[in-house]
Each structure stands twice: as structure tokens, then as C-alpha cells.
Amino acid sequence: MSSASPTARLRRIRPDWLRDPRVWRTEVLAGLVVALALIPEAISFSIIADVDPAVGLFASFTMAVVISVVGGRRAMISAATGAVALVIAPLNREHGFGHLVAAVILAGVFQIVLGALGLAKLMRFVPRSVMVGFVNSLAILVFMAQVPEMHDVPWPVYPLIAAGLTLMVLFPRVTKVVPAPLVSVVVLTVITVAAGIAVPTVGDKGELPSALPTPGLPDVPFTFETLGIIAPYALAMALVGLMESLLTAKLVDDITDTRSDKTRESIGQGIANIVTGFFGGMGGCAVIGQTMINVKVSGARTRLSTFLAGAFLMVLCIVFGPVVSDIPMAALVAVMIMVCVAAFDWHSIAPKTLRRMPAGEITVMLVTVACVVATHNLAIGVVVGSITAMVIFAKRVARFAEVTGAVDPTGTRVVYAVTGELFFASSNDLVHRFDYRNDPDDVVIDLSDAHIWDASSVAVLDSVETKYAALGKKVTLIGLNEHSARFHANLSGELTGSH
């Protein structure tokens, strides 16, 4: 058996972008496009959080660079986000910037702990209809975020947006060597600058930073009082950030047909936020819009694109600040509209799909979308959507619990066969399915085709036995499987407070 040569082994462990120049080119150009798209959004999120634009840009830089190394989902982009900005904005307004930075660091610690405890495993309980609602609502939110850029603006903005969209649709038919969004941004910038067209630009959003961020400790008293102030905001930020990041990772898994390490991603998000906090950033999480630009529009698949998105962001701001400031917002709006179209699951609302889909699935999707759009909070939408799905599922499964009774020929014994899954929703009506007064003295309840899942079912069976016992009749339970028998033995007679 021959062993591989050191050169062959080295070739196997080298990342794709080092082995294939085409992959390298795709990743580099994708990183550049994402960096351009991050700038106006990072500035906008800074405004939401009521901090200097540099704070949002620094956060996007450190989040992207750090997560490219420690994250669990390749090619996913993490940066400053609106959801995180909304959570921590009240803290900044009421207690100042120092408390905001401290909360970001504490949120990172919470995320590491939650990741280590296996929070990522809970993602398996998010139904597909909630995921579809999540994706569709994100597309709607990203589009809604562009609406202010198209309202009360000079008329040339509209033809520029149309031209940008046309370029992105047609250019890939000519060549896919260069990402269409990058071509669109460059062409529209050249046109507006050369023709002197007065339209809103990136520079109008705020001043770009002129130097790299420097690390430091948050300017707060290190006391339990401070901890009490920042902890609720930090925990909320940690949960919102993890939920958005894990759902986005799951979406990228589906798009790329690959698996990601959700636990590593959770811990990585925590590390990235801690680093971001020490560099004076506002924190963040995975960003769906830029991730879609990177993965779906530009075709990136490796960590290099994520790293370069952060690196290019700082280079663009510090070295090419004047040039970047001249980019018309219309060019970036066109890119984000294209992202919305690509991200939205159009199949989910096709008449053919709606006719075949169960009403419950459609309801869950619509509830998720409505909650996210109404609150602008993805976490709330996903939680409400998941709860709705659970209620619908419980109601559907509850119908499968059946009770059928048969008296033996001698008339001295009755056997009730119980079938189905017994839990709170299905077992509550069980107590009314027996003929207590007219049944013979010997009652057998056969649970061979049933499974006991919770204390509610045990309590109902106890209640049935009690009702028969009050009439001097004996009840025998048979057919319990191992789990149900153990569960019943542990709880029977212990749930009413009287023995």
C-alpha cells in the first residue's frame, strides 16, 4: 500500500482558492462587491444605533475578518446589522456609547456559552414553512430598506436604477468572469461622475473613516450595577444575532448543497462580537443581503470572500474614500433589489404550489412574514412562526388518538383499545370516551398502539381509573411499551397531590 507524497498531501489540504485560479478570481471579485454593498448599510445601521458611521463600518470590518477564520459556515458574511442595531440603540441613548461597547462584548460571551451548550441543535425544530417565511420576509425587508432611497430624490435616480438592473440581468449572458453587480456599480459611477449628474451618493450617508480602529476597553465602571444595566441588552443581542446567523447558515447550506458546523458558527459569532467590542464596534451577526450577493449572485464558496469583504471594506474607506464617496446610491439600490428578487422564494407563492400546499403550512409562512415585516425583527417572526407551526401540528396529531370499546361475549369484561400519540392536546378529551356507569366491573385499557408522551396523558389515565374505582370497578392497563410503562410508573398517582 503506497502512501501519498508530501506534495500530494499538501495539494489536498490547500484551500480551493489556492488550487484553482478561477476560484480565486471569483472569491476576490465577490469580496469586492460585498464590501461595496456593506458600506451604505453599515452607515445606515450606525444611524439606527445613534452612533458615528465609523462605528458601524469598524464593526463590519472586524466581524467579517474574524468570522472568516472562526465561523462554521464558509462564504457567509457577518457584519453590522439592523436587527442588532435596533436591540442596542436604546442602551446607547440612555447610558452612552461605553455601555453599548460593553454590551457587545458581553453578548459575545453569551453567544460562546449558548453555542457550547448546544443552542444550534434547536434549529432542527424550525419547520420548513417558517424557513420559507424567513427568506421571503428578509427579501421584503431588504426591499423596504431601499424605498427611502427612491423617495423624494432627483429624477435621474430612477433611470440609473433601471440601467443598473438591466446591466445585472444582461451582463452575465456576455460573461460571468466579472460579477455583474460590480460592473453595474462601476459603470453607473463613471456615468454620474463624467456627466456631472447630481444624485445622492455614498458620501451623503456620512463621513468614511480615515484610519484603522484601535483596540481598547469600554469606558464604563466595572461594577455589578453596570452589569445589571447591560446584561438584558447583551442577552437579547446574543439571541437575535445567533438566530439570524443560524437561519442564514441553514439557507446557505441549502443553496450550496453543503453542511455547516452550526455550533462552531455560534461560538464564532461570540468571538467575533468580543473582538468587535474591543475595537469599538457596534457588534453584528450574519447579514442575509450581502450573503446572498456573495453566494447566490457572485458564486463565492470559500472563507476568502468573507475575509476579503472585510479587508476591502477598510481599504475602500481609508485608501479610496473619495472615490467610494462618489458611488451613486442608485447603483447600490439596484444591487440590493436584485438580491431581493434572487432571495425571494417565488415558488412558494405560485398558484400551483398554493393549491397543493396544506392550509396550515401556508398559514405558518404568512404569519412568519407578517410578524417580521411588522416588527422588523427576524427573531420575533421566527419564534411566532414556530409556535404557530407547533400549535397546528399538535391540533393535527391530536385527531389521531382514538378509543374503541368492545364487551366480551360473557358481558363480564370490556376492552378499550386506545390508538395514537397521547399528549396534552390529544389526551384531554380521552376521559370522556368511556362509559363509566354502564361498563362491566372488569375494565381493560389496551395501549399497545398508543404512546404516552407527557404528564397530561398520565393524569388523564389516573382520572379514568379514579372514576371507575368510585363505581367499584377495576381497571387494568395492558400493552404499554417500555418508555410509556416507565413514564406511567414514575408519575401515576403523583400528579393530583393526594394518594
Side-chain angles (χ1 to χ4, degrees):
M1 181 176 171
S2 61
S3 59
S5 67
T7 305
R9 286 199 298 271
L10 181 62
R11 192 178 295 116
R12 280 202 303 270
I13 64 173
R14 281 192 306 173
D16 291 342
W17 53 271
L18 276 178
R19 282 183 279 168
D20 189 341
R22 290 173 299 178
V23 174
W24 185 86
R25 183 183 61 228
T26 299
E27 300 298 311
V28 171
L29 293 175
L32 181 57
V33 175
V34 171
L36 288 168
L38 279 173
I39 292 172
E41 290 219 345
I43 295 173
S44 299
F45 297 149
S46 300
I47 294 168
I48 291 173
D50 200 21
V51 295
D52 189 80
V55 174
L57 291 164
F58 288 158
S60 295
F61 162 62
T62 52
M63 287 294 298
V65 168
V66 174
I67 207 68
S68 70
V69 178
V70 300
R73 174 62 261 178
R74 292 182 297 171
M76 189 168 77
I77 306 297
S78 289
T81 62
V84 168
L86 287 169
V87 170
I88 58 175
L91 177 64
N92 183 50
R93 285 193 293 268
E94 294 171 21
H95 299 282
F97 182 66
H99 282 75
L100 181 150
V101 172
V104 170
I105 296 170
L106 183 58
V109 174
F110 282 148
Q111 287 178 326
I112 292 174
V113 172
L114 291 169
L117 290 175
L119 179 72
K121 293 177 182 176
L122 294 176
M123 292 309 299
R124 71 182 70 174
F125 297 108
V126 177
R128 182 189 176 279
S129 49
V130 174
M131 274 299 298
V132 173
F134 168 78
V135 171
N136 289 348
S137 57
L138 276 170
I140 294 169
L141 282 186
V142 172
F143 181 79
M144 289 172 65
Q146 312 312 309
V147 172
E149 305 298 337
M150 296 183 282
H151 177 67
D152 196 22
V153 292
W155 69 265
V157 167
Y158 304 109
L160 284 172
I161 292 174
L165 290 170
T166 304
L167 264 173
M168 283 183 282
V169 170
L170 298 180
F171 189 77
R173 299 180 184 180
V174 178
T175 179
K176 293 185 179 179
V177 172
V178 183
L182 180 59
V183 174
S184 176
V185 169
V186 171
V187 169
L188 294 188
T189 302
V190 170
I191 290 173
T192 53
V193 172
I197 302 171
V199 291
T201 63
V202 170
D204 296 333
K205 288 288 183 181
E207 189 177 349
L208 301 179
S210 56
L212 286 169
T214 53
L217 293 173
D219 184 18
V220 293
F222 292 89
T223 62
F224 284 109
E225 182 183 359
T226 302
L227 182 63
I229 292 170
I230 67 173
Y233 294 97
L235 182 59
M237 175 184 163
L239 291 172
V240 168
L242 281 183
M243 191 170 294
E244 287 208 35
S245 299
L246 294 174
L247 286 170
T248 305
K250 192 170 186 294
L251 180 62
V252 177
D253 289 353
D254 294 339
I255 292 171
T256 60
D257 199 24
T258 57
R259 292 186 66 180
S260 57
D261 187 337
K262 305 295 191 304
T263 297
R264 177 177 172 177
E265 182 62 35
S266 302
I267 295 171
Q269 288 290 328
I271 295 171
N273 272 308
I274 290 173
V275 172
T276 298
F278 282 123
F279 276 92
M282 58 183 274
C285 62
V287 278
I288 183 71
Q290 280 71 17
T291 297
M292 288 298 99
I293 291 175
N294 198 44
V295 175
K296 204 162 188 177
V297 179
S298 301
R301 292 293 183 270
T302 76
R303 297 179 185 275
L304 180 64
S305 58
T306 306
F307 175 83
L308 289 178
F312 281 147
L313 175 64
M314 280 294 99
V315 172
L316 288 169
C317 290
I318 295 170
V319 180
F320 299 103
V323 177
V324 173
S325 295
D326 286 336
I327 294 174
M329 284 303 298
L332 298 174
V333 168
V335 171
M336 297 312 291
I337 290 175
M338 203 68 187
V339 168
C340 299
V341 174
F344 196 91
D345 187 348
W346 297 100
H347 178 73
S348 67
I349 60 169
K352 185 178 178 181
T353 305
L354 294 175
R355 282 196 300 270
R356 293 184 175 183
M357 193 69 69
E361 301 287 316
I362 297 171
T363 301
V364 169
M365 181 185 73
L366 293 176
V367 166
T368 304
V369 171
C371 285
V372 172
V373 173
T375 63
H376 284 234
N377 189 318
L378 293 162
I380 291 176
V382 170
V383 170
V384 173
S386 297
I387 291 173
T388 304
M390 290 175 191
V391 170
I392 292 173
F393 175 75
K395 187 177 178 183
R396 189 180 301 158
V397 174
R399 298 174 184 168
F400 294 113
E402 295 291 339
V403 179
T404 54
V407 180
D408 70 1
T410 63
T412 59
R413 186 172 72 160
V414 61
V415 178
Y416 283 99
V418 180
T419 60
E421 308 300 321
L422 302 184
F423 63 110
F424 63 91
S426 62
S427 62
N428 284 335
D429 290 333
L430 211 65
V431 72
H432 305 298
R433 310 289 286 275
F434 298 88
D435 190 357
Y436 302 99
R437 192 164 299 280
N438 299 319
D439 278 341
D441 291 345
D442 188 5
V443 179
V444 176
I445 300 177
D446 185 356
L447 295 155
S448 300
D449 296 321
H451 190 100
I452 296 174
W453 287 105
D454 62 3
S456 297
S457 304
V458 177
V460 167
L461 291 173
D462 283 354
S463 177
V464 170
E465 290 188 66
T466 301
K467 286 179 179 293
Y468 275 118
L471 297 170
K473 300 177 182 182
K474 178 190 172 185
V475 174
T476 305
L477 301 181
I478 65 170
L480 285 166
N481 60 42
E482 184 180 350
H483 174 273
S484 298
R486 189 167 59 248
F487 200 83
H488 183 267
N490 287 339
L491 293 179
S492 182
E494 303 292 332
L495 299 171
T496 61
S498 59
H499 306 287

